[in-house]
Amino acid sequence: MRNPIHVLKSLEEKASVSNNKYERLYRNLYNPEFYLLAYANIAKSQGSMTQGVDGQTLDNMSLPRINRIIESIRNRTYQPKPAKRKYIPKKNGKLRPLGITSTDDKLVQEVVRMILEAIYEPTFSNNSHGFRPKRSCHTALTQVKKNFTGVTWIVEGDIKACFDNFDHHVLVELLRKRISDEAFIGLIWKFLKAGYMEQWQYNCTYSGVPQGSGISPICANIYLSELDNYMQEYKEKYDCEPERRRTTREYERASRRYRKARKALMGAEKSTPELVKEFKDSRRKKMNQHYYNPFEEGFKKIQYNRYADDFVIGVIGSKKDAEKIKEDVKIFLQEKLHLEMSEEKTKVTHSSKPVRYLGYDFKVIHSKNMKRCKNGDMKRVWYGKVFLYMPKEKWIKKAMERGAIQVKRNNDTGKEMWRPMPRKDLMNRSDAEIVSTFNSEIRGLYNFYRIAENVGALHKYYYMVRYSMLKTLAGKHRTNVSVIKKRHMVNGVLRIPYDTTKGRKYCEFYHDGFRKHSDGYDNVADVMPSYRKYDSRHTIVNRIKAGVCEICGEHADYLCMHHVRTLKSLKGRDIFEQKILKMRRKSLALCLTALNSYTKPKNQGDSWKAGYAERCTSGLGGGSLKPTDESQQGAGAYLIPHAVRVQGLPDLIRDY
């Protein structure tokens, strides 16, 4: 079997050819190395231990389990299970539906996602930033700050229930433009039509892709890339820039006066108050004039930026042009993509007013304030620039949701009164854990708003949260804030001691400040899996291939990966938990002997053997286990590390 990384690289190299059609993609689903790579990708997320409708998780992952999936895909009997519907609250108080797929479906979807990403990622627009490698909200906002300079009007776009209203037929037709493999497209059809379970009832899906599914982000980008292409074509038709823009007469007149006053001041033997006053007046008048006419009819431009289903369009032109662009985009979405724009959220706003986008407020500054440059000249460096701001209500809402502050209004004066409050939900934790929780919340908020111009306003949030933390510690120890400060403050920094196997350490409360970072933000939030040719031997895939039990240290023909959700939940009650805590990994490779001792019920004699056999055949193998002799090798043979077919495993289970 080919290395999946080489396959993906090959697909990516051919993506630049516009008329190239991909064939025989379905055969890649027979490659077990693809599933191991997919397993390594999804094992990193917390959702890997969330149960689907079948009740299974990533726990007990094994090579026979992967082999069972490949066998069903090979004989075309694979059928995705319906997603389990869950609802999470939205910012507007409504509920967002999420679809939790089964673990086996997650593996297959991850393989499909990797293939689709290799095909379509090189062809996506640079103006698209959602669910893409090395792109995030920060890259989208940085692009807005760079490209939206001087725009007059901004069209705020939002697609109504975007993920729920994708037309399946439109999506499939878009896939057929680049993919000529009906078996592969048929598999995607199965995922689209799998349905969902809600209140123990099955519901069909006639449109949309389930949010939470592994292929939903890439399918959304493929679908909405048509909007990106349309806006690129629209920009080429709309943009109009004369070869030479003429400066205004007012600016030329003010510029001549400024040069004359400067020459007189520099040529005078001794400066006089009259010459200085004339020089300053002429410079001020020059800076108050426009170099070009901002309302010049022959100069028009638009800029476009999209993150998932949210997009903004910057227009250099009249409001009438902005309204026409809005209507044209609305018609395109309705006729071509069968989507509807939200009338409430889609509007045209002047660039001088703040526009809410991806949790930030941005606007174009029309300030004529001057700044002295390195060469000594005074210039209007801020005019027409885009500034990003952190909304005040964001950090206030965060603090109130967490119970860190309480906001009341004085009935007499009408003024808001803020009061730090102890968090009762954290009082049952250790002191170091309380401080660590507050630190993570502060850093999370700061990391998101670190490119905002007013990120220093988080000092107000920090002050409230700091006293909330002190009150929480004081409430836990039944004392007051001053005693906590006196006990743990060292050089103005609160330090909480805690003991480890290597000795005593200290957990310090956050004290690094809130400095604004540059636009070149390297820590991308939406990090996608990165693939390397050679990985460490300690990776989860290489641990499976090694065939060594991490409990007994013996070589085994069959390994099963045991997963835990968090290390924090483990108490070290048995040798398995102790080993996981020592390795500081959330997975453990077990052989049959170790797995037997781990899954053996107490006080049940030898009855555990039957239960274990059932577990191996249903949970690990997903069906009846068949011997792998020479006559029965092929698609149904067991996958063993180093490509060795083992005869003993089925016999061992049969003896039980």
Side-chain angles (χ1 to χ4, degrees):
M1 294 291 182
R2 289 185 65 189
N3 190 329
I5 298 176
H6 296 166
V7 176
L8 296 176
K9 290 290 184 183
S10 177
L11 295 175
E12 189 176 346
E13 290 173 358
K14 298 177 182 178
S16 57
V17 183
S18 59
N19 58 351
N20 179 57
K21 276 199 169 187
Y22 293 88
E23 300 177 352
R24 304 174 69 187
L25 293 176
Y26 193 77
R27 62 175 183 172
N28 293 304
L29 299 170
Y30 306 154
N31 189 349
E33 295 291 334
F34 259 110
Y35 294 88
L36 291 175
L37 185 60
Y39 168 56
N41 291 339
I42 66 176
K44 303 174 184 178
S45 65
Q46 286 283 355
S48 61
M49 295 299 294
T50 304
Q51 295 182 355
V53 293
D54 56 356
Q56 294 189 17
T57 64
L58 206 62
D59 193 21
N60 296 330
M61 179 56 64
S62 61
L63 291 173
R65 184 174 175 178
I66 294 175
N67 189 72
R68 186 255 315 163
I69 298 174
I70 295 176
E71 176 67 17
S72 63
I73 288 178
R74 188 187 293 271
N75 56 31
R76 309 293 175 90
T77 60
Y78 175 78
Q79 181 60 44
K81 296 179 178 61
K84 184 168 66 174
R85 177 64 62 90
K86 291 288 185 181
Y87 292 92
I88 60 173
K90 298 172 65 175
K91 297 178 181 178
N92 56 5
K94 298 181 180 179
L95 296 175
R96 184 189 304 275
L98 291 181
I100 303 173
T101 56
S102 64
T103 304
D104 292 351
D105 294 340
K106 286 180 183 178
L107 281 175
V108 182
Q109 288 183 12
E110 179 64 16
V111 176
V112 174
R113 185 200 66 80
M114 289 189 292
I115 296 174
L116 291 177
E117 184 181 272
I119 296 173
Y120 286 96
E121 178 61 32
T123 65
F124 286 153
S125 172
N126 289 328
N127 299 320
S128 171
H129 296 266
F131 315 115
R132 294 184 61 189
K134 299 182 180 180
R135 292 174 182 260
S136 66
C137 295
H138 291 103
T139 60
L141 292 165
T142 301
Q143 190 183 65
V144 168
K145 185 175 182 178
K146 180 181 178 182
N147 295 347
F148 279 52
T149 302
V151 300
T152 312
W153 299 95
I154 298 174
V155 180
E156 306 174 55
D158 183 85
I159 302 173
K160 188 176 181 181
C162 180
F163 283 81
D164 298 332
N165 292 326
F166 285 150
D167 193 307
H168 292 168
H169 295 275
V170 175
L171 177 60
V172 170
E173 288 302 318
L174 293 175
L175 292 172
R176 286 195 174 109
K177 290 181 179 180
R178 300 299 305 272
I179 299 173
S180 181
D181 188 347
E182 290 300 321
F184 187 80
I185 293 178
L187 180 62
I188 297 177
W189 261 115
K190 288 183 178 181
F191 285 119
L192 296 175
K193 298 295 185 182
Y196 62 93
M197 296 290 292
E198 186 177 7
Q199 299 295 331
W200 304 102
Q201 291 185 355
Y202 175 78
N203 298 272
C204 299
T205 51
Y206 302 100
S207 64
V209 290
Q211 299 185 57
S213 171
I215 63 172
S216 296
I218 186 66
C219 288
N221 279 331
I222 294 171
Y223 201 94
L224 294 177
S225 63
E226 294 297 303
L227 175 62
D228 303 337
N229 298 334
Y230 172 76
M231 290 305 305
Q232 183 62 34
E233 296 174 358
Y234 200 102
K235 175 180 172 61
E236 294 175 357
K237 296 178 182 178
Y238 181 84
D239 286 1
C240 180
E241 185 176 4
E243 295 182 359
R244 183 180 180 276
R245 297 185 67 185
R246 296 186 60 181
T247 57
T248 61
R249 293 183 178 180
E250 291 80 5
Y251 184 84
E252 291 180 351
R253 193 180 299 115
S255 184
R256 286 195 296 268
R257 180 185 172 187
Y258 169 73
R259 289 196 298 267
K260 184 178 179 181
R262 184 180 180 182
K263 186 177 180 180
L265 182 62
M266 298 295 290
E269 296 181 358
K270 186 178 180 181
S271 62
T272 60
E274 291 79 9
L275 291 175
V276 174
K277 185 176 180 301
E278 175 64 19
F279 172 75
K280 289 183 178 181
D281 290 344
S282 61
R283 185 179 63 184
R284 184 175 62 254
K285 263 197 171 181
K286 176 189 174 184
M287 294 301 175
N288 286 333
Q289 300 296 330
H290 290 286
Y291 189 77
Y292 297 125
N293 184 8
F295 304 103
E296 186 177 352
E297 294 184 359
F299 182 77
K300 294 181 178 181
K301 278 190 174 183
I302 61 173
Q303 298 291 343
Y304 168 76
N305 186 278
R306 181 181 65 84
Y307 186 94
D309 58 339
D310 296 328
F311 62 91
V312 288
I313 304 172
V315 182
I316 300 180
S318 63
K319 186 177 181 180
K320 187 177 179 181
D321 293 340
E323 294 284 354
K324 186 177 183 304
I325 293 171
K326 174 187 170 184
E327 290 299 320
D328 291 343
V329 173
K330 180 180 178 181
I331 293 171
F332 172 80
L333 290 174
Q334 288 178 346
E335 295 182 353
K336 300 296 183 180
L337 300 181
H338 302 166
L339 296 174
E340 184 181 355
M341 292 180 65
S342 176
E343 295 294 337
E344 299 178 358
K345 299 180 181 179
T346 305
K347 49 190 175 181
V348 177
T349 309
H350 195 267
S351 61
S352 61
K353 298 179 180 179
V355 174
R356 183 67 54 83
Y357 184 55
L358 303 179
Y360 278 70
D361 284 341
F362 77 91
K363 64 178 181 179
V364 179
I365 302 298
H366 296 280
S367 174
K368 296 181 180 180
N369 294 334
M370 296 175 288
K371 179 183 178 182
R372 191 176 300 278
C373 301
K374 292 182 179 180
N375 59 0
D377 293 339
M378 301 292 290
K379 293 184 178 181
R380 296 173 294 182
V381 296
W382 296 290
Y383 190 86
K385 299 291 185 181
V386 178
F387 276 39
L388 303 173
Y389 296 99
M390 174 186 64
K392 181 180 177 182
E393 63 268 17
K394 289 292 184 181
W395 62 265
I396 295 176
K397 187 178 179 181
K398 281 289 183 183
M400 292 180 66
E401 287 177 354
R402 293 163 179 166
I405 64 173
Q406 189 180 51
V407 181
K408 291 185 178 181
R409 191 174 295 275
N410 194 323
N411 296 329
D412 299 330
T413 61
K415 241 178 127 179
E416 286 186 349
M417 300 175 63
W418 294 7
R419 183 183 177 187
M421 300 296 293
R423 294 177 58 174
K424 297 180 180 179
D425 58 320
L426 302 179
M427 287 187 181
N428 59 341
R429 304 184 184 183
S430 64
D431 293 356
E433 195 173 353
I434 292 173
V435 175
S436 179
T437 302
F438 277 95
N439 286 345
S440 62
E441 292 173 355
I442 294 171
R443 287 193 179 97
L445 192 63
Y446 171 54
N447 286 337
F448 185 75
Y449 288 108
R450 65 194 308 175
I451 62 174
E453 298 291 334
N454 62 335
V455 68
L458 283 177
H459 284 284
K460 299 178 181 178
Y461 170 80
Y462 177 78
Y463 176 81
M464 293 293 175
V465 169
R466 180 173 175 266
Y467 269 91
S468 175
M469 181 269 302
L470 292 172
K471 286 188 175 182
T472 303
L473 292 175
K476 177 186 175 182
H477 296 285
R478 299 187 181 276
T479 181
N480 52 41
V481 172
S482 60
V483 174
I484 297 295
K485 285 184 176 181
K486 188 176 179 180
R487 187 181 301 171
H488 298 293
M489 280 290 185
V490 179
N491 296 327
V493 179
L494 187 134
R495 305 175 69 198
I496 301 295
Y498 63 97
D499 296 325
T500 65
T501 55
K502 297 181 180 179
R504 173 158 289 195
K505 293 186 178 181
Y506 293 90
C507 178
E508 296 184 354
F509 188 63
Y510 183 84
H511 56 91
D512 295 334
F514 302 100
R515 180 177 60 88
K516 177 184 175 296
H517 280 236
S518 62
D519 298 339
Y521 189 73
D522 298 329
N523 298 328
V524 181
D526 294 351
V527 177
M528 305 297 284
S530 59
Y531 310 113
R532 294 179 293 179
K533 186 177 180 180
Y534 301 105
D535 288 325
S536 170
R537 63 186 179 92
H538 299 294
T539 60
I540 194 168
V541 173
N542 289 337
R543 288 160 61 197
I544 296 177
K545 292 181 177 180
V548 179
C549 178
E550 293 176 346
I551 290 294
C552 61
E554 299 291 334
H555 284 269
D557 300 324
Y558 170 80
L559 287 181
C560 171
M561 297 301 297
H562 170 60
H563 290 262
V564 296
R565 186 179 292 274
T566 58
L567 296 177
K568 187 174 152 182
S569 60
L570 305 181
K571 305 298 182 183
R573 289 184 285 251
D574 51 38
I575 187 174
F576 303 97
E577 293 188 358
Q578 293 171 9
K579 186 67 174 178
I580 291 176
L581 292 173
K582 184 179 180 181
M583 297 171 61
R584 297 187 64 82
R585 296 193 183 103
K586 294 188 292 184
S587 60
L588 197 64
L590 303 177
C591 64
L592 275 176
T593 306
L595 187 62
N596 291 347
S597 61
Y598 179 70
T599 58
K600 180 179 178 180
K602 296 180 179 180
N603 303 323
Q604 292 186 19
D606 293 334
S607 62
W608 64 273
K609 294 182 179 179
Y612 173 69
E614 183 182 355
R615 185 175 182 180
C616 286
T617 57
S618 62
L620 304 182
S624 60
L625 296 177
K626 302 178 181 179
T628 55
D629 54 15
E630 294 296 332
S631 62
Q632 295 180 354
Q633 285 186 7
Y638 286 101
L639 297 174
I640 304 298
H642 312 296
V644 178
R645 304 296 184 185
V646 178
Q647 310 294 328
L649 175 61
D651 297 332
L652 190 64
I653 295 177
R654 195 185 302 113
D655 293 337
Y656 288 154

PDB file of all heavy atoms in Angstrom, residues 67 71 74 632-638 645:
ATOM      1  N   ASN A  67      -9.897  -3.049   9.708  1.00  0.00           N
ATOM      2  CA  ASN A  67     -10.067  -4.026   8.641  1.00  0.00           C
ATOM      3  C   ASN A  67     -11.534  -4.292   8.350  1.00  0.00           C
ATOM      4  O   ASN A  67     -11.933  -4.479   7.195  1.00  0.00           O
ATOM      5  CB  ASN A  67      -9.361  -5.325   9.017  1.00  0.00           C
ATOM      6  CG  ASN A  67      -9.306  -6.304   7.871  1.00  0.00           C
ATOM      7  OD1 ASN A  67      -8.572  -6.110   6.912  1.00  0.00           O
ATOM      8  ND2 ASN A  67     -10.092  -7.356   7.957  1.00  0.00           N
ATOM      9  N   GLU A  71     -13.375  -3.743   4.751  1.00  0.00           N
ATOM     10  CA  GLU A  71     -14.118  -4.826   4.118  1.00  0.00           C
ATOM     11  C   GLU A  71     -15.509  -4.362   3.691  1.00  0.00           C
ATOM     12  O   GLU A  71     -15.970  -4.675   2.586  1.00  0.00           O
ATOM     13  CB  GLU A  71     -14.211  -6.015   5.075  1.00  0.00           C
ATOM     14  CG  GLU A  71     -15.035  -7.180   4.574  1.00  0.00           C
ATOM     15  CD  GLU A  71     -14.408  -7.855   3.391  1.00  0.00           C
ATOM     16  OE1 GLU A  71     -13.201  -7.640   3.161  1.00  0.00           O
ATOM     17  OE2 GLU A  71     -15.120  -8.584   2.672  1.00  0.00           O
ATOM     18  N   ARG A  74     -15.156  -2.096   0.710  1.00  0.00           N
ATOM     19  CA  ARG A  74     -14.759  -2.820  -0.492  1.00  0.00           C
ATOM     20  C   ARG A  74     -15.962  -3.504  -1.148  1.00  0.00           C
ATOM     21  O   ARG A  74     -16.107  -3.474  -2.378  1.00  0.00           O
ATOM     22  CB  ARG A  74     -13.673  -3.842  -0.154  1.00  0.00           C
ATOM     23  CG  ARG A  74     -13.050  -4.519  -1.372  1.00  0.00           C
ATOM     24  CD  ARG A  74     -12.120  -5.626  -0.919  1.00  0.00           C
ATOM     25  NE  ARG A  74     -10.974  -5.091  -0.219  1.00  0.00           N
ATOM     26  CZ  ARG A  74      -9.837  -4.726  -0.818  1.00  0.00           C
ATOM     27  NH1 ARG A  74      -9.704  -4.841  -2.135  1.00  0.00           N
ATOM     28  NH2 ARG A  74      -8.832  -4.266  -0.098  1.00  0.00           N
ATOM     29  N   GLN A 632      -8.362 -17.899   3.139  1.00  0.00           N
ATOM     30  CA  GLN A 632      -9.277 -16.845   3.512  1.00  0.00           C
ATOM     31  C   GLN A 632      -8.585 -15.499   3.663  1.00  0.00           C
ATOM     32  O   GLN A 632      -9.129 -14.590   4.272  1.00  0.00           O
ATOM     33  CB  GLN A 632      -9.985 -17.206   4.818  1.00  0.00           C
ATOM     34  CG  GLN A 632     -10.880 -18.418   4.704  1.00  0.00           C
ATOM     35  CD  GLN A 632     -11.570 -18.735   6.011  1.00  0.00           C
ATOM     36  OE1 GLN A 632     -11.303 -18.117   7.015  1.00  0.00           O
ATOM     37  NE2 GLN A 632     -12.456 -19.703   6.031  1.00  0.00           N
ATOM     38  N   GLN A 633      -7.369 -15.350   3.166  1.00  0.00           N
ATOM     39  CA  GLN A 633      -6.731 -14.054   3.208  1.00  0.00           C
ATOM     40  C   GLN A 633      -7.385 -13.113   2.210  1.00  0.00           C
ATOM     41  O   GLN A 633      -8.325 -13.401   1.676  1.00  0.00           O
ATOM     42  CB  GLN A 633      -5.243 -14.198   2.938  1.00  0.00           C
ATOM     43  CG  GLN A 633      -4.490 -14.774   4.120  1.00  0.00           C
ATOM     44  CD  GLN A 633      -3.001 -14.778   3.899  1.00  0.00           C
ATOM     45  OE1 GLN A 633      -2.529 -14.249   2.927  1.00  0.00           O
ATOM     46  NE2 GLN A 633      -2.265 -15.386   4.803  1.00  0.00           N
ATOM     47  N   GLY A 634      -6.889 -12.056   1.953  1.00  0.00           N
ATOM     48  CA  GLY A 634      -7.511 -11.099   1.061  1.00  0.00           C
ATOM     49  C   GLY A 634      -8.175  -9.991   1.826  1.00  0.00           C
ATOM     50  O   GLY A 634      -7.641  -9.495   2.807  1.00  0.00           O
ATOM     51  N   ALA A 635      -9.414  -9.625   1.389  1.00  0.00           N
ATOM     52  CA  ALA A 635     -10.056  -8.473   1.990  1.00  0.00           C
ATOM     53  C   ALA A 635     -10.392  -8.695   3.441  1.00  0.00           C
ATOM     54  O   ALA A 635     -10.340  -7.780   4.252  1.00  0.00           O
ATOM     55  CB  ALA A 635     -11.326  -8.118   1.213  1.00  0.00           C
ATOM     56  N   GLY A 636     -10.765  -9.915   3.846  1.00  0.00           N
ATOM     57  CA  GLY A 636     -11.195 -10.171   5.210  1.00  0.00           C
ATOM     58  C   GLY A 636     -10.086 -10.571   6.135  1.00  0.00           C
ATOM     59  O   GLY A 636     -10.340 -10.851   7.301  1.00  0.00           O
ATOM     60  N   ALA A 637      -8.840 -10.612   5.677  1.00  0.00           N
ATOM     61  CA  ALA A 637      -7.740 -11.020   6.530  1.00  0.00           C
ATOM     62  C   ALA A 637      -7.426  -9.951   7.552  1.00  0.00           C
ATOM     63  O   ALA A 637      -7.659  -8.769   7.323  1.00  0.00           O
ATOM     64  CB  ALA A 637      -6.510 -11.322   5.674  1.00  0.00           C
ATOM     65  N   TYR A 638      -6.872 -10.374   8.644  1.00  0.00           N
ATOM     66  CA  TYR A 638      -6.529  -9.422   9.693  1.00  0.00           C
ATOM     67  C   TYR A 638      -5.310  -8.615   9.314  1.00  0.00           C
ATOM     68  O   TYR A 638      -4.379  -9.098   8.679  1.00  0.00           O
ATOM     69  CB  TYR A 638      -6.271 -10.160  11.006  1.00  0.00           C
ATOM     70  CG  TYR A 638      -7.510 -10.655  11.647  1.00  0.00           C
ATOM     71  CD1 TYR A 638      -7.873 -11.983  11.533  1.00  0.00           C
ATOM     72  CD2 TYR A 638      -8.341  -9.791  12.346  1.00  0.00           C
ATOM     73  CE1 TYR A 638      -9.037 -12.434  12.115  1.00  0.00           C
ATOM     74  CE2 TYR A 638      -9.504 -10.230  12.906  1.00  0.00           C
ATOM     75  CZ  TYR A 638      -9.860 -11.562  12.788  1.00  0.00           C
ATOM     76  OH  TYR A 638     -11.015 -11.986  13.349  1.00  0.00           O
ATOM     77  N   ARG A 645       0.451 -11.930   8.677  1.00  0.00           N
ATOM     78  CA  ARG A 645      -0.843 -12.526   8.926  1.00  0.00           C
ATOM     79  C   ARG A 645      -0.713 -13.547  10.060  1.00  0.00           C
ATOM     80  O   ARG A 645       0.082 -14.480   9.990  1.00  0.00           O
ATOM     81  CB  ARG A 645      -1.371 -13.221   7.663  1.00  0.00           C
ATOM     82  CG  ARG A 645      -1.460 -12.312   6.451  1.00  0.00           C
ATOM     83  CD  ARG A 645      -2.458 -11.215   6.661  1.00  0.00           C
ATOM     84  NE  ARG A 645      -2.598 -10.397   5.463  1.00  0.00           N
ATOM     85  CZ  ARG A 645      -3.326  -9.318   5.367  1.00  0.00           C
ATOM     86  NH1 ARG A 645      -3.966  -8.885   6.426  1.00  0.00           N
ATOM     87  NH2 ARG A 645      -3.413  -8.644   4.233  1.00  0.00           N
TER      88      ARG A 645
END
